[in-house]
Amino acid sequence: MPTVTMIGGGQLARMTHQAAIALGQCLRVLAASPGDPAAMVSADVVLGSHENIDDLRRAARGATAFTFDHEGVPLTHLHALEAEGVQVRPPSKALHYAQDKLAMRLRLAELGLPVPDFADLGGADRNAARERLTEFGQDHDWAVVLKAVRGGYDGRGVWLTETRDEALAVFDENFGNGAELIVEQKVPMRRELSALVARSPFGQGAAWPVVETVQRNGQCAVVLAPAPGLDEALAQQAQEMSLRLASELGVVGVMAMELFETVDGHLVVNELAMRPHNSGHWTMDGAVTSQFEQHLRAVLDYPLGDTSPRAPVTVMANILGAEQAPEMSMDERLHHLCARMPEAKVHLYGKGERPDRKIGHVNIVGAVDQGVEDVRERAERAAHWMSRAEWTDGWDPHS
Amino acid sequence: MPTVTMIGGGQLARMTHQAAIALGQCLRVLAASPGDPAAMVSADVVLGSHENIDDLRRAARGATAFTFDHEGVPLTHLHALEAEGVQVRPPSKALHYAQDKLAMRLRLAELGLPVPDFADLGGADRNAARERLTEFGQDHDWAVVLKAVRGGYDGRGVWLTETRDEALAVFDENFGNGAELIVEQKVPMRRELSALVARSPFGQGAAWPVVETVQRNGQCAVVLAPAPGLDEALAQQAQEMSLRLASELGVVGVMAMELFETVDGHLVVNELAMRPHNSGHWTMDGAVTSQFEQHLRAVLDYPLGDTSPRAPVTVMANILGAEQAPEMSMDERLHHLCARMPEAKVHLYGKGERPDRKIGHVNIVGAVDQGVEDVRERAERAAHWMSRAEWTDGWDPHS
């Protein structure tokens, strides 16, 4: 059977390895440390850095496909590997748009896909850039978001500001200080959605149901699958946009298109990720084919699997590291959770507990007669318990 | 998180490792070779023999629980490990009955559970044993089965004979030749069933729906979950017998009780296995909690998971090595299967292809409106394709 190399030893690689086992494979991971989530469970670990071309070459040797659990590999290295015949999937020409928010915005606009208003704050001329920010801010009543063009994730590299002074302070602190910036209109939104798709080199595409993602502190906390009450035409539009973009960019593998549903019922594209994504963790228990198996199928150019949901509703809640790690061990917390919720599907990543760090997730697959509020309440209660060793009365619908 | 050691590097350990990953663990396996199915995918492999006490000790070091993917570990070694404080699960006192068919028959009879008529053909006196066989055979019109007391699996160590001469020939060939024998009445049966349960040291028990197992050439070929048309009272009786036996014997972990449904609608116990079992592979895709996750929960004394089915019917078909391995590679066969059946859940073990060897399995989870015949036809067609690289018209209901 073929070997797939995944760059990065995080939880996405860890869960991809689980899927690889069923397909008769062992995932090869390039990990920084033997204690990385995937390195702790795979028999094929290459230790090294994703920024070192020789480490990347060692990891690629003999592999049928070469893919990623994060967007951090320098494009110049990928160009070199592609020139040497490595099957980089997604290819550098596609991954570029997941690494560079300005390029992504420009390309989306060029394709006629709905994006927020934005302005490039780059260039060598600080005063000119500051002037562009001021003008953009005034045009949008200072309801703006500043973003680093590269390297942001889980809320890092994104600044929501409320006033002119705040926005200019972010600019002054970051301009020329490593981060290239853009500014975007803050979209008046009802909620956030994600349209997860997969695409194979052959050109086959497959879309899972569109989900609602609930963000807290700038990162995904909860996913409701499918997005409750989403207008069918809007859901179809989101899937079509995501599939079309994957095709236009030549994406190979899983791609998440994060979207805003605006208060007036339109869609606006927020972010792209070209790898298995937090908004797809529900598929492990809630869909016929998980995003991890699908990613492997796609990068190996296998025909794609059935993306149908297994149940009317599935809710995923992230287990986050608490401000202060509980005294009760994770093992003991899991015992208690198993006792209270025999139906909870727990996925732990083997990571140390640090505040707000994603260390696992819980999926609850609803039965036919269970409403989304009930399923969500259980998922959030379970995740909160695993984070804090405190039972809450559950999810507060007003939070 | 705790470490579980599993003795044996076969497919059961491989699939248990998949489940361990979700629970934040890495399964430690004692494997004979780095090419064993589980050794190829786990990061924690001890190479050695399950018959060598020092290898067993090395594998046990620091582990919270010590369990098995086969029944081959000598009891004397387990006694030694237990005396040294190793948490052997199931304990030797229970495992004894899975290793010794005579002890099992005697104990079942003592507990009043339904067993076929049987006679012990052991002892030093060959003529006396041959006499007991002759008498037993005459009493049952020579509709008998001879069995090796120890070491049989997948049809090995079991001889179905039709006549007096055949039965005596098996006796003459095997008596005193390593194998200790028993003889059993051949039960006039409608079909074979399996009642899979799990039990924790705390004493909690959980039962999956009773399934029908279809045997070919003495080994399990297909599993229908739940057993189609099984009388509800009979299903409940099977579950209760299995749970009661697990409790009486002090089993820890998953236990399969293989049963005959007789032509007159009664149950008779055939065999026991105290580990994840082929008749439970359907649970990986067809039940809320798979037998592999449940086995880990049980041996770690976690509360057990929900055993509800996810769908009205799930069918598992084994992928067996063909008489002659097809020219088409397994990888290419998988491509074709993915194209034809995007809903097929394939589990490959990474084993070389040898005739009738179990090298993988396919699960098809039926939708609400799909009958068992349709689901079975697809599962068998998929498995046949993966074995032979030939598409059939599907399952022959008369085979």
Side-chain angles (χ1 to χ4, degrees):
Chain A
M1 301 302 287
T3 296
V4 173
T5 290
M6 188 169 262
I7 303 305
Q11 63 260 31
L12 301 177
R14 182 181 174 102
M15 295 184 275
T16 305
H17 178 52
Q18 280 182 292
I21 292 172
L23 298 176
Q25 308 165 25
C26 178
L27 188 72
R28 181 184 298 164
V29 295
L30 177 71
S33 144
D36 284 356
M40 285 192 291
V41 298
S42 173
D44 193 355
V45 179
V46 177
L47 292 177
S49 164
H50 64 270
E51 294 181 322
N52 181 307
I53 183 70
D54 292 322
D55 292 345
L56 294 170
R57 283 194 182 109
R58 277 194 300 133
R61 201 168 296 146
T64 303
F66 180 97
T67 188
F68 311 94
D69 102 328
H70 60 66
E71 277 104 7
V73 180
L75 274 193
T76 48
H77 289 350
L78 298 181
H79 294 150
L81 293 169
E82 285 169 341
E84 292 162 20
V86 174
Q87 297 298 313
V88 177
R89 292 174 169 181
S92 61
K93 65 169 186 175
L95 201 65
H96 169 53
Y97 297 100
Q99 290 188 347
D100 184 315
K101 290 184 206 235
L102 176 60
M104 186 263 285
R105 283 280 172 252
L106 291 167
R107 187 67 198 273
L108 286 168
E110 184 185 295
L111 290 168
L113 291 167
V115 290
D117 277 352
F118 68 96
D120 177 8
L121 304 181
D125 186 340
R126 180 189 193 93
N127 286 338
R130 206 169 192 273
E131 189 54 41
R132 285 198 298 282
L133 171 57
T134 307
E135 197 175 320
F136 187 93
Q138 282 166 352
D139 287 352
H140 293 87
D141 292 330
W142 290 101
V144 301
V145 187
L146 284 102
K147 291 184 176 178
V149 167
R150 288 189 192 78
Y153 71 98
D154 282 352
R156 283 173 241 200
V158 175
W159 298 270
L160 286 88
T161 59
E162 303 287 331
T163 62
R164 181 180 188 279
D165 286 354
E166 273 178 37
L168 289 173
V170 169
F171 178 86
D172 291 340
E173 192 181 330
N174 289 282
F175 185 90
N177 203 1
E180 198 180 326
L181 298 176
I182 56 172
V183 60
E184 293 182 0
Q185 156 201 27
K186 195 186 287 170
V187 175
M189 63 153 169
R190 189 176 289 164
R191 56 177 170 176
E192 295 193 42
L193 304 172
S194 173
L196 194 77
V197 300
R199 184 176 175 276
S200 72
F202 183 73
Q204 190 191 3
W208 284 271
V210 176
V211 301
E212 176 175 343
T213 62
V214 180
Q215 315 283 322
R216 288 185 194 133
N217 302 322
Q219 68 176 357
C220 177
V222 177
V223 171
L224 314 175
L230 181 63
D231 179 80
E232 210 159 302
L234 221 54
Q236 199 176 328
Q237 189 199 339
Q239 290 180 321
E240 281 170 3
M241 287 187 342
S242 192
L243 287 168
R244 179 179 162 219
L245 185 68
S247 172
E248 294 276 5
L249 302 185
V251 171
V252 172
V254 165
M255 184 186 87
M257 177 185 270
E258 296 183 84
L259 298 146
F260 298 127
E261 184 184 357
T262 64
V263 289
D264 55 356
H266 291 98
L267 296 175
V268 170
V269 181
N270 181 21
E271 303 284 350
L272 296 182
M274 293 181 193
R275 49 169 172 75
H277 187 252
N278 200 164
S279 67
H281 289 358
W282 70 277
T283 62
M284 297 180 84
D285 300 295
V288 174
T289 307
S290 80
Q291 64 168 346
F292 300 103
E293 178 180 332
Q294 196 80 300
H295 190 72
L296 287 169
R297 286 188 184 220
V299 302
L300 288 168
D301 208 5
Y302 283 19
L304 300 178
D306 185 347
T307 51
S308 305
R310 287 169 171 274
V313 56
T314 300
V315 176
M316 189 281 323
N318 280 332
I319 301 171
L320 301 175
E323 270 310 311
Q324 184 141 24
E327 276 184 38
M328 186 186 290
S329 73
M330 183 60 85
D331 180 35
E332 200 177 341
R333 277 175 263 165
L334 182 55
H335 273 249
H336 285 277
L337 180 65
C338 289
R340 286 234 188 167
M341 285 192 211
E343 78 281 19
K345 303 310 297 176
V346 179
H347 301 271
L348 297 177
Y349 309 153
K351 287 161 86 170
E353 300 180 58
R354 289 206 298 262
D356 278 340
R357 191 183 202 199
K358 293 173 181 173
I359 56 177
H361 69 270
V362 178
N363 285 332
I364 305 276
V365 181
V368 173
D369 54 349
Q370 292 171 337
V372 63
E373 287 78 13
D374 169 50
V375 178
R376 176 174 179 176
E377 189 281 323
R378 283 183 284 147
E380 292 223 38
R381 182 152 42 97
H384 186 88
W385 166 258
M386 292 299 288
S387 294
R388 312 284 175 92
E390 294 166 354
W391 290 111
T392 58
D393 291 335
W395 158 65
D396 173 3
H398 306 293
S399 75
Chain B
M1 300 301 288
T3 295
V4 174
T5 290
M6 187 169 263
I7 302 305
Q11 63 261 28
L12 301 177
R14 182 181 174 102
M15 294 184 277
T16 306
H17 178 52
Q18 280 181 291
I21 293 172
L23 298 177
Q25 308 166 24
C26 178
L27 187 71
R28 181 184 299 165
V29 295
L30 177 71
S33 143
D36 285 357
M40 286 191 291
V41 298
S42 172
D44 193 354
V45 179
V46 176
L47 292 177
S49 164
H50 63 271
E51 294 180 323
N52 181 308
I53 183 71
D54 291 323
D55 292 345
L56 295 170
R57 283 195 183 107
R58 276 194 298 132
R61 200 168 297 145
T64 304
F66 181 97
T67 188
F68 311 94
D69 102 328
H70 61 66
E71 277 104 7
V73 180
L75 274 192
T76 48
H77 289 351
L78 298 181
H79 295 150
L81 293 169
E82 285 168 342
E84 293 162 18
V86 175
Q87 296 298 313
V88 177
R89 293 176 169 180
S92 61
K93 65 169 186 176
L95 201 65
H96 169 53
Y97 297 100
Q99 290 188 346
D100 184 313
K101 290 184 208 240
L102 177 60
M104 186 264 285
R105 283 279 173 253
L106 292 166
R107 187 67 198 272
L108 286 168
E110 185 184 296
L111 291 169
L113 291 166
V115 291
D117 276 352
F118 68 96
D120 177 6
L121 305 181
D125 187 338
R126 179 189 194 93
N127 287 337
R130 206 169 191 272
E131 190 53 42
R132 284 198 298 283
L133 171 56
T134 307
E135 198 175 318
F136 187 92
Q138 282 165 353
D139 287 352
H140 292 89
D141 293 331
W142 290 101
V144 301
V145 187
L146 284 104
K147 291 183 175 177
V149 168
R150 287 189 193 78
Y153 70 98
D154 282 353
R156 283 172 242 201
V158 175
W159 299 270
L160 286 89
T161 60
E162 303 287 331
T163 64
R164 180 180 189 279
D165 287 354
E166 275 179 35
L168 289 172
V170 168
F171 177 87
D172 290 340
E173 193 181 327
N174 289 282
F175 184 90
N177 205 2
E180 199 180 325
L181 298 175
I182 56 172
V183 61
E184 292 181 1
Q185 157 201 26
K186 195 186 286 167
V187 176
M189 63 153 168
R190 190 176 287 164
R191 57 177 170 176
E192 297 192 41
L193 304 172
S194 175
L196 194 76
V197 300
R199 185 177 174 276
S200 72
F202 184 72
Q204 189 190 5
W208 285 271
V210 176
V211 301
E212 176 175 343
T213 62
V214 181
Q215 314 284 322
R216 287 186 194 132
N217 302 322
Q219 68 176 356
C220 177
V222 176
V223 171
L224 313 175
L230 181 63
D231 180 81
E232 210 158 302
L234 221 54
Q236 199 176 327
Q237 189 198 339
Q239 289 181 321
E240 281 170 3
M241 288 187 340
S242 192
L243 286 169
R244 178 179 161 219
L245 186 68
S247 172
E248 294 277 4
L249 302 184
V251 171
V252 173
V254 166
M255 184 186 87
M257 177 184 272
E258 297 183 83
L259 298 147
F260 299 128
E261 185 184 358
T262 65
V263 290
D264 55 357
H266 291 98
L267 295 175
V268 171
V269 180
N270 182 22
E271 305 283 352
L272 296 183
M274 294 180 194
R275 50 171 171 73
H277 187 252
N278 200 163
S279 67
H281 288 358
W282 70 275
T283 60
M284 298 178 83
D285 300 295
V288 174
T289 306
S290 81
Q291 65 168 345
F292 300 103
E293 178 180 334
Q294 197 79 300
H295 189 71
L296 287 170
R297 287 187 183 218
V299 302
L300 288 168
D301 208 6
Y302 282 20
L304 301 178
D306 184 347
T307 52
S308 304
R310 287 169 171 275
V313 56
T314 300
V315 177
M316 187 285 320
N318 280 332
I319 302 170
L320 301 174
E323 270 311 312
Q324 185 142 24
E327 278 184 37
M328 186 187 289
S329 72
M330 184 60 86
D331 180 36
E332 201 177 339
R333 277 175 263 165
L334 182 54
H335 273 249
H336 286 277
L337 180 66
C338 290
R340 286 234 188 168
M341 285 191 211
E343 79 281 20
K345 301 312 296 175
V346 179
H347 301 271
L348 297 176
Y349 308 154
K351 288 162 86 170
E353 299 180 58
R354 288 206 300 261
D356 278 339
R357 190 184 204 198
K358 293 172 181 173
I359 55 176
H361 69 271
V362 177
N363 285 332
I364 305 276
V365 181
V368 173
D369 54 349
Q370 293 171 338
V372 64
E373 288 76 13
D374 169 50
V375 178
R376 176 175 179 176
E377 189 279 324
R378 282 183 284 147
E380 292 225 36
R381 183 150 41 97
H384 186 88
W385 165 259
M386 292 300 287
S387 293
R388 313 284 175 90
E390 291 166 356
W391 290 110
T392 59
D393 291 335
W395 158 63
D396 173 2
H398 306 292
S399 75

